Amino acid sequence: MSAAPAVSTTSVPTAPSTRTAVLAIVALALGGFAIGTTEFVTMGLLPDIARGVDATIPEAGHVISAYALGVVVGAPVLAALGARLPRRRLAMGLMVAFVVGNTLSALAPGYGSLVLSRFVAGLPHGAYFGVASLIAASLVPAHLRGRAVSSVMLGLAAANVAGVPAATWLGQQLGWRSAYWAVVVIGAVTLLAVLTVVPSVPGRSEASIRTELGALRRPQVVLTLLVATVGFGGMFAMYSYIAPIVTEVAGRSAGFVPVVLLAFGVGGVLGTVLGGRLADRALFRSLVGATVATGVLLGVMAVAAGNALALIVTVFTIAAAASTMVVLLQLRLMEVAGEAQMLGAALNHSALNAANALGAWLGGLVIAAGLGYRAPSVVGAGLAVLGLGFLAASAVLRRRELRAAA
């Protein structure tokens, strides 16, 4: 396969300086930090939210599902609708929608309104990362595009290390609504930063909803989305049940869970940085390697979970491999989506949220069947193997396409 992602991007009118490119990418990554914080802080504050809106904890869990559904729906729709718009303007519009959704979340008077507001907050998630990835790629030379895109994604990874713990602590001290207000502030700062330091980048004037959504007819796009949904779903099969794995399998107290989550967050940051560098060298081969590594490590997790130190090391390496996979999937979709690159980049986040739902559901099934808390990791390894199957099909199809072109 290609040695670097063959991503054609709409360039800025004049090549920006290195300083301008760095500042612009940092501004875009700040938006990713805000999005990552709001996506995961709800999980840490679920009991507080349940009490605040007079709901049970399982009912409050629907608040998380509503956000994920917003991502799945919003990513393709908003990316297709916004393809013709200037990209900085689109990024700002999506961040405005994000701020509005989180403001409504902080003000929600009851359970129903909170569920609806979380759906609204999730709508711009995927499209923002799509347009931010394209802007970042347009600011650097072709051989650095993988690193530029991974730098935007680094905001999402950093949220798990700093944003989510800080917002969770704030919500516990000042009430769960304060966590969403904190996200609103970060979103507003992002909006100002994007306006100030991100260069103007034109959209695709010839784009239409039909041509954008036409990318979904491309077999390579569909296969890559299946890798993201099924192959990456394996990580969520394990991670969704990390708290009981710590307490029931490793035999540690609930106070040890944050330590494991911190290891996961740090591994995610490392994997995001690594993913960009690997993409610039060999995108497809690196994606295969990351999928293999994720599957193998999930298998190891089923054995190592009983030892606290081994658990931390394994969770760290799973996070690194899986985060590498996220960046590579993003760039692979941008590569195979043709002219609909923003849609391809946005769809990655729809697929990852579908992976979240699939992995958690399958993990819950094996636990309910009495197979214990190690079983979701075995399920995760199996899902990674299925993801490899879709990658193999993609490689075979690519060889046929090259022979046909020759």
Side-chain angles (χ1 to χ4, degrees):
M1 292 296 168
S2 56
V7 179
S8 61
T9 57
T10 303
S11 300
V12 293
T14 58
S17 66
T18 300
R19 180 176 180 273
T20 298
V22 169
L23 289 175
I25 290 171
V26 169
L28 296 168
L30 182 61
F33 183 84
I35 290 173
T37 300
T38 200
E39 180 177 16
F40 295 109
V41 73
T42 304
M43 301 170 187
L45 293 173
L46 206 58
D48 305 83
I49 292 172
R51 288 191 296 270
V53 296
D54 195 24
T56 65
I57 288 181
E59 287 173 339
H62 296 158
V63 172
I64 299 172
S65 302
Y67 183 92
L69 181 61
V71 179
V72 173
V73 172
V77 173
L78 295 180
L81 289 173
R84 299 181 65 174
L85 295 176
R87 287 172 179 167
R88 182 179 64 179
R89 187 188 305 173
L90 176 59
M92 293 176 61
L94 291 167
M95 191 48 58
V96 167
F98 174 80
V99 168
V100 169
N102 281 279
T103 300
L104 292 174
S105 300
L107 296 173
Y111 171 72
S113 57
L114 180 60
V115 170
L116 179 60
S117 65
R118 294 314 291 158
F119 174 80
V120 172
L123 288 172
H125 177 131
Y128 176 84
F129 278 112
V131 69
S133 295
L134 287 185
I135 292 173
S138 72
L139 298 176
V140 299
H143 68 282
L144 295 177
R145 285 174 179 165
R147 299 182 203 188
V149 172
S150 72
S151 296
V152 172
M153 303 289 291
L154 195 58
L156 185 62
N160 280 314
V161 178
V164 174
T168 301
W169 178 86
L170 185 67
Q172 291 170 341
Q173 302 303 312
L174 302 179
W176 62 269
R177 297 177 190 275
S178 64
Y180 292 132
W181 283 123
V183 170
V184 168
V185 171
I186 300 171
V189 173
T190 299
L191 193 59
L192 180 61
V194 171
L195 174 63
T196 304
V197 302
V198 175
S200 179
V201 181
R204 289 201 312 119
S205 58
E206 71 279 11
S208 68
I209 296 177
R210 175 178 293 182
T211 58
E212 289 293 304
L213 295 180
L216 291 172
R217 293 195 298 268
R218 291 172 173 258
Q220 292 286 16
V221 171
V222 174
L223 286 169
T224 307
L225 288 173
L226 287 171
V227 175
T229 303
V230 177
F232 196 78
M235 191 280 294
F236 283 115
M238 177 278 297
Y239 189 64
S240 299
Y241 304 96
I242 191 64
I245 288 173
V246 171
T247 56
E248 302 298 325
V249 181
R252 303 303 294 256
S253 68
F256 194 68
V257 174
V259 178
V260 177
L261 296 182
L262 177 61
F264 185 89
V266 175
V269 171
L270 174 64
T272 302
V273 173
L274 181 62
R277 293 179 179 274
L278 290 174
D280 286 330
R281 296 176 64 120
L283 175 55
F284 189 84
R285 289 196 298 274
S286 297
L287 179 55
V288 172
T291 306
V292 170
T294 301
V296 170
L297 289 166
L298 284 167
V300 170
M301 180 71 173
V303 178
N307 179 277
L309 179 58
L311 174 63
I312 289 176
V313 173
T314 307
V315 165
F316 172 84
T317 51
I318 288 173
S323 298
T324 300
M325 205 175 154
V326 169
V327 175
L328 296 169
L329 285 166
Q330 180 100 349
L331 286 153
R332 174 65 175 168
L333 281 166
M334 291 168 66
E335 179 185 65
V336 299
E339 293 301 316
Q341 291 175 6
M342 185 162 65
L343 179 66
L347 282 172
N348 188 36
H349 298 273
S350 291
L352 295 177
N353 275 270
N356 192 344
L358 175 66
W361 176 64
L362 291 176
L365 284 182
V366 294
I367 292 170
L371 299 178
Y373 288 106
R374 295 179 190 263
S377 297
V378 178
V379 170
L383 289 174
V385 171
L386 288 178
L388 281 173
F390 293 122
L391 282 174
S394 177
V396 170
L397 179 61
R398 176 60 173 164
R399 291 192 188 98
R400 290 179 180 174
E401 289 171 348
L402 291 174
R403 282 200 299 266

